[in-house]
């Protein structure tokens, strides 16, 4: 039986992507698409590595932009292929610090109902 082709892509996103529910959004999107990998905040925005079927990866990248959380504002999205590493599941990793980078922060907003519910889930 032939094994399915898997690809992995590194995605860097800059803009207002922290403090707006972007990492949980990415996690849900990847989980729905049965993709593996991780998402983390960085000093420059958000870093995602995601692995799966090439067509599913293309759809994932399109949905990052089309279905983003309402308060998110993407100013730059870059992708680059990286070697597939296997693995199952998709993780939200701890934030990383990168030298000489600045991140855009959204203005203060009230905590939404879904976020409050997630705090106690």
């Amino acid at each position: 039986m032939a094994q399915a082709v898997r690809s992995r892509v590194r995605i860097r996103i800059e803009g207002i992507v922290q403090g707006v529910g972007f990492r949980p959004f990415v996690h849900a999107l990847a989980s729905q698409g049965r993709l593996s990998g991780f998402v983390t905040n960085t000093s420059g925005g958000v870093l995602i590595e995601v692995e799966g079927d090439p067509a599913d990866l293309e759809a994932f990248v399109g949905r990052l932009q089309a279905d983003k959380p309402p308060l998110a504002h993407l100013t730059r999205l870059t992708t680059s292929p990286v070697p597939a590493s296997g693995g199952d599941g998709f993780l939200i990793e701890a934030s990383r610090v990168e030298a000489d980078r600045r991140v855009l922060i959204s203005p203060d907003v009230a905590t939404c109902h879904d976020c409050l519910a997630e705090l106690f889930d």
Side-chain angles (χ1 to χ4, degrees):
M1 177 179 230
Q3 189 170 342
V5 174
R6 288 180 63 90
S7 297
R8 189 174 185 99
V9 65
R10 178 175 294 140
I11 305 165
R12 290 190 178 272
I13 301 175
E14 297 174 13
I16 299 175
V17 290
Q18 294 185 14
V20 295
F22 201 80
R23 288 182 303 163
F25 157 72
V26 170
H27 181 273
L29 196 59
S31 297
Q32 289 169 5
R34 295 180 303 279
L35 301 171
S36 62
F38 68 87
V39 60
T40 184
N41 283 337
T42 69
S43 300
V46 169
L47 171 67
I48 304 166
E49 281 197 17
V50 63
E51 184 171 326
D53 177 87
D56 293 337
L57 294 176
E58 186 175 332
F60 174 83
V61 172
R63 289 191 63 197
L64 283 174
Q65 299 172 79
D67 299 341
K68 67 186 182 305
L71 297 175
H73 177 75
L74 283 57
T75 58
R76 185 175 193 183
L77 185 150
T78 58
T79 62
S80 57
V82 292
S85 62
D88 293 320
F90 195 88
L91 302 172
I92 297 176
E93 293 188 348
S95 298
R96 300 179 183 184
V97 176
E98 296 176 335
D100 299 326
R101 299 298 304 236
R102 295 190 181 162
V103 66
L104 298 175
I105 303 296
S106 67
D108 287 341
V109 293
T111 305
C112 74
H113 178 354
D114 290 340
C115 293
L116 285 173
E118 184 178 283
L119 286 173
F120 302 104
D121 182 10

